[in-house]
Amino acid sequence: MAGVKTDQDVITYRAAVAEGIAREMRRDPSVVCLGEDIGGAGGVFKTTAGLFEEFGPGRIWDTPISEQAIVGAAMGAAMTGVRPVAEIMFSDFLACCWDYLANEIPKVRYMTGGQVTVPLVIRTANGGGLGFGAQHSQAVENWALTIPGLKIAAPATPADVIGLMASAIRSDDPVVFFEHKGLFASKGPLPPDDHVVELGKAAVVREGTDVTLVALASTVHTALAAADTLADDGVSAEVVDLRCLIPMDLTTVLASVGKTSRLVTVEENPHQAGWGATLVSVVVDEGFELLDAPVRRVASANVPLPFADALEDEVIPTADKVVAAVRSVVNY
């Protein structure tokens, strides 16, 4: 098995990345991986540990330090029958290959009338909270959200890493797969071998009646921590893990808001043009009469992320910030 499990039934988030890829590589010989240091080194975050040893250099390709080369090669391979899983080491570096990601990859299927598909996955380590500074800590899911033709997954748990990875690799459309750096050491149950999570299917990870908290990736855990605090005050918060931004499961969100009548989004994107703005606009368009209070968004501040831990904590969402936002809508 690729990666290292902590025991028979538990796996870390980082090991789940390698495990999810390995399961699909065993199932489908057309799946290959490429990226910087993903071979013998096992990846800079050890998220590809064990893959080179199991599948060898014919299917695990170490590349030069060139995001354009990695994504360009992956695109060409995908157009000719291979299913590449390409790694961009930090999501901030998607900017280096943005022409491929925004102008080329998502347009091919449409421009060829469906004659050519681009079944590739672009994996990348995303998000802050570890003090990596302004150029290595951004949460950039909202960059990809602006591009029609891309699917976007961002798991919060090891089981969802494996299940969403399966769906992403099997998809005939390109998927950007955001792995949160702050979750790599987290642990969770190891899912069964046939575990697949449908792209675009959100999960209600905590039931509640007073307010809906919608979150993604690391902010799911932030929302759950806030819900624990709120419960001590008699406020019942329902937490929805979106899992994906495209497709976005607004049916589950609207059903939850219909039950609670209040909505708070929790997102690591900057407040300006974050994914919460898109979600809120749809809720207001399609479910305004469900609401008993204004919607609130808890998001990162519109500033470059500081290097200092204490300053970074001031910028990104925290449980305390979520609790304050919930109290404002519950007491409205």
Side-chain angles (χ1 to χ4, degrees), residues 128-219:
L130 299 176
F132 284 6
Q135 295 176 319
H136 295 76
S137 300
Q138 297 172 92
V140 302
E141 310 97 313
N142 59 326
W143 293 5
L145 185 59
T146 65
I147 308 300
L150 296 175
K151 294 180 179 177
I152 304 167
T157 66
D160 278 356
V161 169
I162 292 172
L164 289 170
M165 186 71 75
S167 287
I169 292 174
R170 297 177 195 186
S171 172
D172 286 333
D173 294 305
V175 181
V176 187
F177 198 95
F178 290 97
E179 302 156 7
H180 200 285
K181 298 191 291 291
L183 297 178
F184 281 146
S186 64
K187 301 174 184 177
L190 176 67
D193 289 342
D194 59 353
H195 183 62
V196 178
V197 175
E198 179 185 352
L199 295 175
K201 185 66 175 177
V204 177
V205 294
R206 179 178 178 132
E207 299 277 352
T209 57
D210 296 325
V211 62
T212 297
L213 304 179
V214 181
L216 184 75
S218 69
T219 64

Side-chain angles (χ1 to χ4, degrees), residues 209-212 257 260-264 290-293 329-331:
T209 57
D210 296 325
V211 62
T212 297
V257 173
T260 67
S261 300
R262 298 173 180 87
L263 173 63
V264 175
L290 301 173
L291 295 165
D292 287 343
V329 299
V330 169
N331 296 326

Side-chain angles (χ1 to χ4, degrees), residues 72-257:
M75 176 184 173
M79 293 172 67
T80 55
V82 180
R83 289 187 177 268
V85 180
E87 178 183 301
I88 298 300
M89 190 179 294
F90 288 86
S91 64
D92 316 65
F93 302 161
L94 290 174
C96 299
C97 53
W98 196 244
D99 181 54
Y100 283 116
L101 197 63
N103 258 348
E104 305 294 342
I105 289 169
K107 309 294 194 289
V108 169
R109 188 169 188 170
Y110 174 77
M111 293 177 67
T112 63
Q115 297 178 80
V116 180
T117 58
V118 189
L120 67 82
V121 177
I122 299 175
R123 301 175 36 246
T124 188
N126 190 51
L130 299 176
F132 284 6
Q135 295 176 319
H136 295 76
S137 300
Q138 297 172 92
V140 302
E141 310 97 313
N142 59 326
W143 293 5
L145 185 59
T146 65
I147 308 300
L150 296 175
K151 294 180 179 177
I152 304 167
T157 66
D160 278 356
V161 169
I162 292 172
L164 289 170
M165 186 71 75
S167 287
I169 292 174
R170 297 177 195 186
S171 172
D172 286 333
D173 294 305
V175 181
V176 187
F177 198 95
F178 290 97
E179 302 156 7
H180 200 285
K181 298 191 291 291
L183 297 178
F184 281 146
S186 64
K187 301 174 184 177
L190 176 67
D193 289 342
D194 59 353
H195 183 62
V196 178
V197 175
E198 179 185 352
L199 295 175
K201 185 66 175 177
V204 177
V205 294
R206 179 178 178 132
E207 299 277 352
T209 57
D210 296 325
V211 62
T212 297
L213 304 179
V214 181
L216 184 75
S218 69
T219 64
V220 173
H221 303 280
T222 305
L224 288 169
D228 287 340
T229 299
L230 291 162
D232 294 337
D233 296 336
V235 177
S236 174
E238 181 151 297
V239 179
V240 177
D241 177 359
L242 274 183
R243 288 174 162 164
C244 295
L245 292 182
I246 298 295
M248 184 181 286
D249 185 0
L250 291 158
T251 300
T252 295
V253 173
L254 287 165
S256 179
V257 173

Side-chain angles (χ1 to χ4, degrees), residues 2-4 13-19 21-22 25 33-55 60 62 85-87 123 165 179 184:
V4 179
Y13 188 105
R14 81 171 74 245
V17 176
E19 175 64 14
I21 295 169
M25 293 188 75
C33 294
L34 65 159
E36 300 168 24
D37 297 323
I38 68 165
V44 69
F45 296 108
K46 301 304 177 185
T47 50
T48 56
L51 296 180
F52 186 81
E53 290 75 9
E54 179 172 354
F55 300 103
I60 307 296
D62 271 325
V85 180
E87 178 183 301
R123 301 175 36 246
M165 186 71 75
E179 302 156 7
F184 281 146

